Amino acid sequence: MSDAKKRILIAEDNRVMSAVLRFNLERAGYDVTVAFSGTQAFQFLQKEQFDLLFTDFQMPGMEGNELCRRVREDSHHAGMSIIMCSAKAFELDIERMQSELGISKVIFKPFSPMVVKQLIHEVFATETLPV
């Protein structure tokens, strides 16, 4: 990893969960921005560059799958890593979402912020491996 802090955008409408994630990820050395809806996350993405999107599936304004679809259509963010979380473990077609939307990892609620931190470390580590 370079000396520059990796930038993470968290799209999570639960303010307690987003605060806990922000706290833990900032302590791990990441630069974290929080959006409380898919629409707000997309607005941030139009103005700024991020290394990873951590998004909830179910959100007001624009759901996580639509946010991911728009990210993949945008040439500036098409290659950005995405981790999706959801409380709907049995209702989602994970394989289809991963292949169609290029989602790196899917995690189900409830989860530990430490697990999220580990997943993010893994995603960034696989990005920097030589081909």
Side-chain angles (χ1 to χ4, degrees):
M1 195 180 327
S2 69
D3 290 340
K5 282 186 176 185
K6 293 279 191 178
R7 299 198 67 220
I8 298 172
L9 175 59
I10 296 173
E12 168 62 68
D13 60 314
N14 180 310
R15 290 179 186 266
V16 172
M17 175 61 70
S18 60
V20 169
L21 287 169
R22 171 184 248 161
F23 173 80
N24 282 280
L25 294 173
E26 285 178 344
R27 285 193 61 190
Y30 297 112
D31 180 4
V32 180
T33 299
V34 174
F36 298 109
S37 71
T39 305
Q40 186 182 34
F42 190 68
Q43 290 169 348
F44 282 131
L45 287 164
Q46 291 176 313
K47 298 174 189 168
E48 301 177 49
Q49 194 68 33
F50 294 92
D51 299 297
L52 183 138
L53 169 64
F54 181 91
T55 181
D56 192 3
F57 179 79
Q58 227 175 338
M59 288 184 294
M62 180 189 309
E63 291 201 342
N65 60 336
E66 179 62 23
L67 175 60
C68 293
R69 189 169 286 108
R70 289 187 183 194
V71 164
R72 292 299 178 229
E73 292 170 354
D74 179 353
S75 62
H76 292 100
H77 295 93
M80 180 175 59
S81 297
I82 299 174
I83 297 176
M84 182 174 282
C85 69
S86 177
K88 296 178 170 270
F90 301 107
E91 298 175 35
L92 300 179
D93 184 343
I94 303 306
E95 288 180 11
R96 183 187 60 77
M97 289 174 59
Q98 286 180 308
S99 70
E100 288 182 11
L101 302 174
I103 295 172
S104 303
K105 303 276 185 183
V106 178
I107 185 171
F108 299 106
K109 294 178 180 181
F111 54 76
S112 159
M114 303 317 284
V115 169
V116 172
K117 186 172 75 170
Q118 182 60 38
L119 281 175
I120 290 172
H121 285 318
E122 289 172 15
V123 168
F124 284 144
T126 58
E127 280 182 353
T128 58
L129 290 177
V131 179

